[in-house]
Amino acid sequence: MLRELGIRNFAIIDALAVSFNEGLTVLTGETGAGKSIIIDAVHLLAGGRGSQEFIRHGASKAEIEGLFSVESASHPVFQKLEELGVPTSDGDIVLRRELNDKGKNVCRINGKLVTISILREIGGALIDIHGQHETQELMDEKQHLHLLDQFAGSSLSKAKESYAHTFEKYSRLKREFASYNDNEQQIAQRIDLLTFQLREIGAAELVAGEEEDLIQERKKLQNFNKIYESVSAAHEAIQGESKGLDWVGSAMSELEHAASVDEQFTVHSESLSSAFFQIQDISTEIKRIIDVMEFDPERLNEIEQRLSLIQSLKRKYGASVEDILLYHEAQTEELDKLLNRDQRLQLDQAKLKELTEDLRVEAEELTILRKKAAVSLGMAIMEQLQELHMGKASFEVNFSALPNNKFDRHGRDAISFYISTNLGEPLKPLTKVASGGELSRMMLALKTIFSKHQGVTSLIFDEVDTGVSGRVAQAIAEKIAAISIHSQVLCISHLPQVAAMADQHLFIEKRVDKQRTITAVHELSGRERTEEMSRMLSGAEITDLTLQHAEELLTLAHDRKLTMR
């Protein structure tokens, strides 16, 4: 849900901070007070199209920030954030967007800079904004299949998973099969290139790890003189004229004599004796090495040439000898496929035919399960329309196959929602429904059902109750309240029936402060809320009778909500 919204220098809003509660929040106020401006700000925060015109006159930038709280750890938005490397904690997600007077956007999610497309992707997973004239997911036929699958739930998910696995194998084989149909000239050129590359790599007879060994050997040869001088000096110090080892031997003998008289020197005598023999062994080994040490300029030249060859191959085929060997292995496999493509073509044709049949069977199973779910969905929507006083309306899910008997990653079904709002009228695509009032009710019916499945944390209705009144208005109010049981709902409304159902009632007003027009938000409760309801009922003057009607409406709404939860 959207917990906090902060807005600065946006349209006529100077600075505004609003806290939202769970359930249904209704925003009311006079026309032009700025209710829709707040929704525009949320729309911008969710990645909507920005404009410099949104920036308050005299300011250099507009700033919008929203704190969202997502209770379910399995919500798909967390997987998206993890893929993007955006940190999250305690289910809180902070979206922030700045729009400056140069037309540039700065977008952040939990403090991390992101692109506007990423902000739109994450925002779309958190917020669903529906206005009277906006094209929404439910009005997009491309989304109807996804919505039906969501409604079907677990009864379909296993079959979809199996189908997706088969479709991936099918698609991979089709791509491989298509590669065999390249023209002969391209294939011949590719064979020549692969043959040359494999011959060049093969001639080098590379061995994994040899570059490191060669570099180490080169280092020894390049520093031969320094090593020889150091080792010779060490040997001279031990057994040369200075007789270092002899002096250690004398000290050992003297300590042995002392230890024979006084036991406290025994440990020191033994340690020195051990050291003497170790030094003696080291001296012998050093002398052996000195006797065989010989500088080989030809070997150094061989190493330089070998390393130069390896470096040349690395520039062409990989960052290391190991990478070059892996490249050689992959290209060998490709060359084998090209040289034996006729035989492989026959094998792949047989595999593709087998996979196509498997895919057809699994796609038919998806269609059967979807049609079963479509019947249930149709019944559920008709029930909702009945409650919205559209008892003569008809609804069904229209199925057709993808053109040219094609498959896609969802199966082979093309699905669209059809509706007839009047008795005797033919069913038409939902996207062709023109009446504003009927469209509002249709959308609410669908939202009531899909709000349980869509996963968005906040739904926003911007005056979707326009053009209705009376018992239809009451039905719409109850339907919006029903949706708010499963998702937080923010609703701009002029209907007192909708406002009465609110769990939180925010009053938006426009006033002048220091010769500037500003928008302010005030949460209503008690007497203030009753008076605002009275104003909405009467349209002008508040009287004892309108106050009485307002109190009665609030009481009835409270009682109705108790039966819904």
Side-chain angles (χ1 to χ4, degrees), residues 16-33:
L16 188 65
V18 188
S19 297
F20 296 100
N21 298 335
E22 296 180 356
L24 173 60
T25 296
V26 176
L27 292 78
T28 66
E30 296 289 351
T31 301

Side-chain angles (χ1 to χ4, degrees), residues 357-370:
E357 179 60 22
D358 291 344
L359 208 59
R360 183 190 65 78
V361 172
E362 293 191 23
E364 286 181 357
E365 183 181 0
L366 288 179
T367 301
I368 292 170
L369 292 172
R370 282 174 176 147

Side-chain angles (χ1 to χ4, degrees), residues 13 104 164 194 206-207 228 256 279 319 439 447 450 524 559:
I13 297 175
K104 293 183 177 180
L194 291 173
L206 297 174
V207 177
Y228 186 85
E256 286 177 348
I279 294 171
L439 178 59
K447 288 288 185 183
F450 288 123
L524 302 180
D559 294 341

Side-chain angles (χ1 to χ4, degrees), residues 446-457:
L446 292 169
K447 288 288 185 183
T448 302
I449 296 168
F450 288 123
S451 63
K452 304 175 185 178
H453 305 278
Q454 286 179 305
V456 293
T457 65

Side-chain angles (χ1 to χ4, degrees), residues 523-533 551 554:
E523 183 170 357
L524 302 180
S525 61
R527 178 72 179 181
E528 288 181 324
R529 186 180 183 195
T530 304
E531 290 178 352
E532 170 63 6
M533 293 289 301
E551 289 176 353
L554 286 167

Side-chain angles (χ1 to χ4, degrees), residues 480-521:
I480 292 175
I483 295 173
S484 72
I485 296 173
H486 303 285
S487 300
Q488 179 194 45
V489 174
L490 311 180
C491 179
I492 292 178
S493 179
H494 292 287
L495 290 178
Q497 294 93 331
V498 174
M501 300 294 289
D503 298 300
Q504 180 185 30
H505 189 156
L506 300 179
F507 179 69
I508 317 298
E509 62 177 334
K510 183 168 62 177
R511 59 173 182 250
V512 177
D513 183 23
K514 297 179 181 178
Q515 303 300 311
R516 292 295 302 272
T517 301
I518 63 172
T519 291
V521 178

Side-chain angles (χ1 to χ4, degrees), residues 190 194 329-339:
R190 183 63 179 167
L194 291 173
E329 183 180 342
Q331 301 309 86
T332 300
E333 184 179 348
E334 182 182 350
L335 180 60
D336 179 66
K337 287 181 179 180
L338 291 175
L339 292 174

Side-chain angles (χ1 to χ4, degrees), residues 180-198:
Y180 294 139
N181 295 326
D182 292 340
N183 63 56
E184 290 298 319
Q185 183 181 7
Q186 288 177 322
I187 292 174
Q189 290 173 347
R190 183 63 179 167
I191 289 174
D192 287 345
L193 175 62
L194 291 173
T195 302
F196 170 78
Q197 291 178 339
L198 293 175

